[in-house]
Amino acid sequence: SYVLTQPPSVSVAPGQTARIPCGGNNIGRKTVHWYQQKPGQAPALVVYDDSDRPSGIPERFSGSNSGNTATLTISSVEAGDEADYYCQLWDSSNDHWVFGGGTKLSVL
Amino acid sequence: EVQLVESGGGLVQPGGSLRLSCAASGFTFSSYWMTWVRQAPGKGLEWVANINQDGSEKYYVDSVKGRFTISRDNAKNSVYLQMNSLRVEDTAVYYCARVRGGRSPYDDAFNIWGQGTMVTVSS
């Protein structure tokens, strides 16, 4: 089965840029989505199809995907961006949908 | 307003059964794939099952195959998860979500989520 690897935590100062990686074998050949989950809340989609943003998501959120790593980038980080972030894709080899383990973003 | 509302969670003994429901509103339910995703306490997200628009395609994570059944009733704008032979490790918040509806339902994102319903399996 396909495995997505995320670091457990990432820390960044307010106003700086946070980069959250999601590793997988040839992940650049797949389509990756990203979700934000704040404490006590349901997940919310922040980036889909590698780099597109749903309506209402700030331009500060962007995504890229190449080689063995997909990356969620959050520029000009704000305190309100503190959350868990999950990458996700479809594993066509067995028709399973897979989530990464999640990364906790802390704003120092 | 586009909305998903789950119900049916609760406390059940190991080996027991539970049926979760998810009521949709604010969009043409019959046009979308739907999914169930769960989250054990303090853990990450885990995809559980998907179902296509007319219920003819269903997919399950290996750990629930043969025990859980996803279904839908388009007349009632609802999707269900029948959970049998429940195990302690099935304890989680269960979310239903809508597949976005892009070019392909398989590698598409889950763009609308419910608030979740808690299932606790314990003796």
Side-chain angles (χ1 to χ4, degrees), chain A residues 8-95:
Chain A
S9 63
V10 167
S11 298
V12 65
Q16 298 303 304
T17 297
R19 294 178 178 85
I20 299 174
C22 174
N25 186 37
N26 289 320
I27 194 173
R29 298 181 183 179
K30 299 182 179 295
T31 303
V32 177
H33 316 294
W34 290 91
Y35 303 86
Q36 175 193 68
Q37 187 180 33
K38 296 182 178 180
Q41 296 185 17
L45 181 66
V46 292
V47 167
Y48 67 94
D49 291 357
D50 295 337
S51 59
D52 290 336
R53 280 185 313 277
S55 59
I57 299 301
E59 292 184 7
R60 301 185 297 104
F61 288 81
S62 63
S64 62
N65 186 15
S66 178
N68 292 315
T69 305
T71 304
L72 175 69
T73 301
I74 310 170
S75 60
S76 302
V77 167
E78 304 172 356
D81 297 331
E82 273 206 344
D84 293 326
Y85 291 86
Y86 296 89
C87 56
Q88 177 252 321
L89 54 71
W90 172 56
D91 180 8
S92 58
S93 68
N94 62 1
D95 286 332

Side-chain angles (χ1 to χ4, degrees), chain A residues 31 33 35 37 40-45 47-49 84 86 88-90 94-102, chain B residues 33 37 39 43-47 50 59-62 65 95 100 103 105-111 113-115:
Chain A
T31 303
H33 316 294
Y35 303 86
Q37 187 180 33
Q41 296 185 17
L45 181 66
V47 167
Y48 67 94
D49 291 357
D84 293 326
Y86 296 89
Q88 177 252 321
L89 54 71
W90 172 56
N94 62 1
D95 286 332
H96 277 36
W97 285 257
V98 182
F99 285 94
Chain B
W33 282 58
V37 174
Q39 186 170 35
K43 302 298 184 181
L45 302 174
E46 180 183 36
W47 166 75
N50 270 22
Y59 301 92
Y60 301 92
V61 69
D62 292 346
K65 275 182 185 175
Y95 297 99
R100 192 177 64 89
R103 63 188 183 284
Y106 299 101
D107 57 7
D108 208 348
F110 309 150
N111 69 332
W113 294 68
Q115 84 289 349

